């Protein structure tokens, strides 16, 4: 091998342009409409390395919605602090892990349910869900989430929660969910943080973004995609972590 390998691989002329924020193809990027929400409870998304679905995945898009959010790709981390890259007390964090539990069975009508170590609903839900510093969402298929759960023993120190969504995922027939209470990562993050912070508009905002992404997907699939952007990799206009604008009406 010679030493004159370019430091950057030249773009493949056949590959579609990709957004630098959401890493989606240009025709599926909806970052333009995303304004980071000033969240009190932090979000940490742990993504299984095999889940990186650039077409229909929503983990990165979910994280882009919050000023306090982190996304990590991997299988295991020694501790919550290592995963976050800063000090953190796992007892003040919740982790969303459905497992075999179903909110509809354990606490009918509740959208967020805190479980004990045996998977039963805690008697005092309000106390269990108060004073949380952050929430962890596992991004991947059913078996990938299970792998993340079992490979990170420190997750057992966190408050396990499950969701009881009032309606099924917007994925609909685009991507079949294994259970009626399975949501996309962006829907789950919105519902969880919206409920925990008492701000239903958070869930509405993330749901609206997800709907725009699905609309773009359907339009692209139908061959009605927007004209390609001139740059192969681009940053969407008008958004950035430092900007503060009122959330778009939904
Ligand atoms: Zn984007």
């Amino acid at each position: 091998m010679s030493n004159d390998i370019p430091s950057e691989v030249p773009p493949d002329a056949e590959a579609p342009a990709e957004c630098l924020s959401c890493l989606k193809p240009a025709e599926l990027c909806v970052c333009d409409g995303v304004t980071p929400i000033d969240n009190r409870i932090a979000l940490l998304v742990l993504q299984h390395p095999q889940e990186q679905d650039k077409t229909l995945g929503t983990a990165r898009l979910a994280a882009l919605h919050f000023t306090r959010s982190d996304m990590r790709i991997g299988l295991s981390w020694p501790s919550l602090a290592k995963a976050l890259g800063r000090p953190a007390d796992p007892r003040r964090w919740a982790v969303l892990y459905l497992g075999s539990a179903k909110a509809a069975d354990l606490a009918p009508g509740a959208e967020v349910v805190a479980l004990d170590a045996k998977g039963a609903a805690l008697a005092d839900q309000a106390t269990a869900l108060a004073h949380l510093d952050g929430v962890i969402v596992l991004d991947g298929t059913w078996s990938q989430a299970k792998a993340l759960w079992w490979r990170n023993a420190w997750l057992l120190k966190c408050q396990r929660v499950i969701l009881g969504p009032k309606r099924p995922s917007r994925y609909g027939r685009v991507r079949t969910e294994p259970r009626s209470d399975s949501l996309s990562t962006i829907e789950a993050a919105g519902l969880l943080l919206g409920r925990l912070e008492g701000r239903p508009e958070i869930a509405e905002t993330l749901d609206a973004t997800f709907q725009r992404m699905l609309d773009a997907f359907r339009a692209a699939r139908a061959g009605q995609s927007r004209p390609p952007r001139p740059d192969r990799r681009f940053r969407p206009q008008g958004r950035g972590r430092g900007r503060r604008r009122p959330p778009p009406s939904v």
Side-chain angles (χ1 to χ4, degrees), residues 24-90:
K24 287 186 180 298
E27 65 269 26
L28 300 184
C29 171
V30 293
C31 290
D32 275 347
V34 175
T35 303
I37 295 165
D38 191 13
N39 53 323
R40 177 176 57 81
I41 300 174
L43 171 67
L44 172 62
V45 181
L46 300 181
Q47 185 181 64
H48 192 285
Q50 289 167 5
E51 167 56 17
Q52 298 171 49
D53 179 351
K54 290 189 176 179
T55 304
L56 286 170
T58 62
R60 198 170 293 275
L61 198 51
L64 286 171
H65 274 81
F66 298 102
T67 56
R68 293 172 186 82
S69 68
D70 292 283
M71 180 177 159
R72 302 286 182 262
I73 300 168
L75 278 176
S76 66
W77 297 263
S79 65
L80 174 61
K82 292 283 188 188
L84 282 168
R86 61 179 184 268
D89 180 354

Side-chain angles (χ1 to χ4, degrees), residues 152-204:
N152 293 278
W154 52 268
L155 287 173
L156 294 171
K157 297 178 188 169
C158 303
Q159 173 60 60
R160 183 180 162 198
V161 296
I162 57 174
L163 297 177
K166 295 202 184 306
R167 56 175 187 73
S169 172
R170 285 173 192 262
Y171 267 134
R173 283 179 295 182
V174 170
R175 192 194 227 187
T176 306
E177 295 298 311
R179 278 169 41 172
S180 61
D181 55 352
S182 296
L183 295 176
S184 65
T185 296
I186 194 170
E187 290 171 304
L191 178 56
L192 188 53
L193 284 174
R195 288 290 301 173
L196 293 177
E197 294 205 9
R199 297 163 70 189
E201 68 273 19
I202 291 178
E204 291 164 10

Side-chain angles (χ1 to χ4, degrees), residues 18-26 28-32 34 61 64 229 234-236 239:
E18 182 182 84
C19 169
L20 290 170
S21 292
C22 67
L23 302 187
K24 287 186 180 298
L28 300 184
C29 171
V30 293
C31 290
D32 275 347
V34 175
L61 198 51
L64 286 171
R229 298 189 188 234
F234 65 94
R235 286 196 185 281
R239 73 165 296 280

